[in-house]
Amino acid sequence: MATLEIRGLSVGYGPVRSLRDVSLDVPAGAITAVLGGNGAGKTTLLRAISRTLGFHRGTGTGTVRFDGRHLDGLRPAQVVAAGVVQVPEGRQVFARMTVADNLRAGALGARGGRKASAGALARVHELFPVLAQRAHQRAGLLSGGEQQMLAMGRALMARPRLLLLDEPSLGLAPLMAAKIAETVQEINAAGTSVLLVEQNAAIALRLASTAYVLEVGEVTLEGPADELTASDEVRRRYLGVVDETAAADADRAAGSARTLSRWSA
């Protein structure tokens, strides 16, 4: 298994700077999470790793290495061949193609040939039985959750060693989001490293061993996921947990202000 290493990554779209001097690691066999709100630079980070920045007129500096090999300068197909595969935000399945054809498209250029592709397909059907049941249905007719399964299954057809997941729970009902999270754990347990980009911090921190917080293109917090979960700042800003002591102090202060206002009236 291999480690992803990112050092000093800065990315811009024309005059707009999206990432500033970002460094992070995804250890072999781990799930690493990147948290942040809209506009934090999470998707840009994945584009820089998968070498798709050019499709969006982005440029970057810094180094990205996987298994000791520089990904800088490689074409996107070469990154996939190296074992790094991205599941894009919003699923982006081929809507007019069947489920089976979407999965076959994911196997194009994959390592190992026909026998490996057959094994990958069997694994995808094991993880997502509904994709076997809907094999001849157009992908655009699937539910949102089923499309997310198909997007993940299509990526798994390339037999990745590192899976890049961009907001896999986005727009899904809580039960479906929980099912996707469970499947991410299964994929990781089978030996695939995962870089998980999520706005849903509760899911991400539960799955990950290490997490980074991106704000306006910069890493502002990083560390073991359980430590970040216990952080007052993360709990307040990303988990919606109110600091009860601070809230009580605020209530007392507000009460005192109301009392003074009545006396001065």
Side-chain angles (χ1 to χ4, degrees):
M1 293 188 286
T3 299
L4 177 74
E5 300 172 294
I6 298 174
R7 297 292 180 269
L9 181 65
S10 295
V11 174
Y13 300 96
V16 179
R17 185 63 55 188
S18 183
L19 293 178
R20 298 174 182 83
D21 196 28
V22 169
S23 296
L24 62 82
D25 296 300
V26 180
I31 299 178
T32 299
V34 176
L35 312 178
N38 287 329
K42 304 186 306 298
T43 294
T44 294
L45 173 65
L46 297 189
R47 288 173 181 169
I49 298 168
S50 61
R51 309 307 299 166
T52 58
L53 271 176
F55 300 150
H56 305 275
R57 299 183 180 179
T59 58
T61 59
T63 60
V64 180
R65 289 193 298 270
F66 180 66
D67 197 16
R69 177 186 182 186
H70 282 272
L71 300 186
D72 319 358
L74 296 184
R75 297 188 303 276
Q78 292 174 311
V79 174
V80 171
V84 180
V85 183
Q86 181 176 349
V87 179
E89 179 184 1
R91 298 173 277 279
Q92 298 185 27
V93 297
F94 301 118
R96 295 188 178 184
M97 291 169 55
T98 65
V99 168
D101 284 340
N102 267 268
L103 293 177
R104 275 192 284 269
L108 295 174
R111 299 168 291 115
R114 185 174 299 178
K115 184 176 180 180
S117 293
L121 182 61
R123 176 59 173 158
V124 167
H125 286 165
E126 179 184 352
L127 289 169
F128 307 112
V130 68
L131 299 184
Q133 299 163 11
R134 307 281 177 85
H136 303 295
Q137 183 172 327
R138 284 190 179 184
L141 300 178
L142 300 178
S143 70
E146 290 166 348
Q147 287 187 13
Q148 182 61 57
M149 293 177 185
L150 179 55
M152 292 174 64
R154 185 178 60 192
L156 292 174
M157 289 297 296
R159 302 172 64 235
R161 292 188 291 156
L162 172 63
L163 189 64
L164 310 177
L165 288 173
D166 195 354
E167 304 279 12
S169 72
L170 183 66
L172 300 183
L175 284 177
M176 180 56 71
K179 172 60 179 174
I180 293 297
E182 180 183 321
T183 305
V184 171
Q185 287 181 309
E186 289 186 53
I187 292 168
N188 176 247
T192 302
S193 305
V194 177
L195 179 56
L196 173 64
V197 159
E198 263 290 354
Q199 284 194 61
N200 190 325
I203 287 179
L205 291 172
R206 188 170 70 248
L207 293 177
S209 55
T210 304
Y212 296 78
V213 176
L214 268 183
E215 293 186 11
V216 199
E218 298 181 350
V219 174
T220 56
L221 289 171
E222 62 181 275
D226 55 355
E227 290 185 11
L228 290 187
T229 301
S231 160
D232 288 341
E233 182 176 356
V234 171
R235 286 161 61 84
R236 184 179 67 254
R237 298 183 63 176
Y238 295 99
L239 298 176
V241 177
V242 176
D243 184 327
E244 294 181 1
T245 301
D249 289 344
D251 286 342
R252 283 193 294 270
S256 298
R258 286 194 295 270
T259 300
L260 289 172
S261 177
R262 286 197 298 271
W263 277 102
S264 61

